[in-house]
Amino acid sequence: MQLLLLTTGLSLFSAMQTERLPLMPAGSEELLGTWHIIRWAGDMPIPAKKKTSPLPPFRFIKNRINKLEFRMNIKKPTGCFLFRLPLDEFDTIGIFHAWSGHFIVIQFLLRKDHAIAYYQGKMDNTIYKMMMLVGRTLDENSDILRFFEMFVEERGLKKALIISPPHADNCELTRDY
């Protein structure tokens, strides 16, 4: 009986060890390039129609003043619109400060092909959370998706809030400012 309990306990312990999220802080240089939003979740007040809008790929670039910048070409009825969000790397690798006063944490998941971006902030005296699973390609991996689900639940949201957005082509701007 004791052998059975010991074996069961060791099995559960090893299972718990493998269930830890393999997250590593992402530095700005490592993030450069094109990324795709594979899944996202959040409790921010976003209209239902917008939640399922197709999302184009985005890029992390170094801007003119050598700061990391998030860039996404968004298609509007009037044409393409370049959305930019400059990010200052905080004192700790993987934590970025946006112009809006928000802090965004970006961590690689397993290797450097996938990452999770996480934001928690306050609007109108309510705390909201937003998180994205991003990848350098649209390839999906069951382990990566499972880890993202665990991440969402660990941050206090339900898996039912996870959205698998349709993907859109990157609309072309005539100039990239």
Side-chain angles (χ1 to χ4, degrees):
M1 182 66 171
Q2 288 179 333
L3 184 59
L4 176 63
L5 287 174
L6 177 63
T7 307
T8 304
L10 289 175
S11 301
L12 285 173
F13 179 75
S14 67
M16 286 172 48
Q17 292 291 81
T18 59
E19 290 300 311
R20 277 205 192 132
L21 292 174
L23 297 171
M24 299 175 301
S28 59
E29 293 293 324
E30 301 167 303
L31 288 168
L32 297 176
T34 301
W35 292 84
H36 304 268
I37 299 170
I38 298 171
R39 299 281 191 280
W40 73 272
D43 59 1
M44 296 181 82
I46 299 172
K49 187 175 181 181
K50 290 272 187 203
K51 285 183 178 181
T52 57
S53 294
L55 295 173
F58 65 90
R59 291 178 295 143
F60 281 118
I61 61 121
K62 287 285 185 154
N63 63 18
R64 291 182 190 148
I65 58 172
N66 207 31
K67 299 281 185 181
L68 185 68
E69 189 171 278
F70 170 96
R71 287 188 177 185
M72 180 185 276
N73 293 338
I74 300 171
K75 193 169 191 162
K76 299 273 187 178
T78 56
C80 283
F81 167 73
L82 176 61
F83 175 77
R84 295 188 223 187
L85 181 64
L87 300 168
D88 287 321
E89 194 158 14
F90 201 60
D91 296 337
T92 306
I93 295 174
I95 300 177
F96 300 88
H97 183 250
W99 60 268
S100 55
H102 300 115
F103 287 95
I104 300 167
V105 177
I106 304 175
Q107 296 178 308
F108 288 119
L109 191 52
L110 292 178
R111 295 174 302 280
K112 296 182 180 180
D113 296 333
H114 292 89
I116 293 177
Y118 175 72
Y119 159 77
Q120 179 175 318
K122 199 172 192 178
M123 285 185 342
D124 301 326
N125 292 322
T126 303
I127 295 175
Y128 292 105
K129 300 171 188 170
M130 174 79 74
M131 52 209 77
M132 293 187 304
L133 171 63
V134 298
R136 293 195 186 272
T137 68
L138 289 171
D139 295 340
E140 293 188 6
N141 170 313
S142 59
D143 288 336
I144 296 288
L145 296 175
R146 185 170 48 83
F147 286 135
F148 183 66
E149 288 176 356
M150 288 171 56
F151 183 87
V152 167
E153 288 183 322
E154 282 181 4
R155 297 307 181 277
L157 296 179
K158 293 183 170 78
K159 284 193 306 188
L161 291 176
I162 297 174
I163 294 173
S164 177
H167 296 98
D169 292 330
N170 196 358
C171 61
E172 296 297 322
L173 296 170
T174 53
R175 292 170 55 183
D176 192 20
Y177 296 94

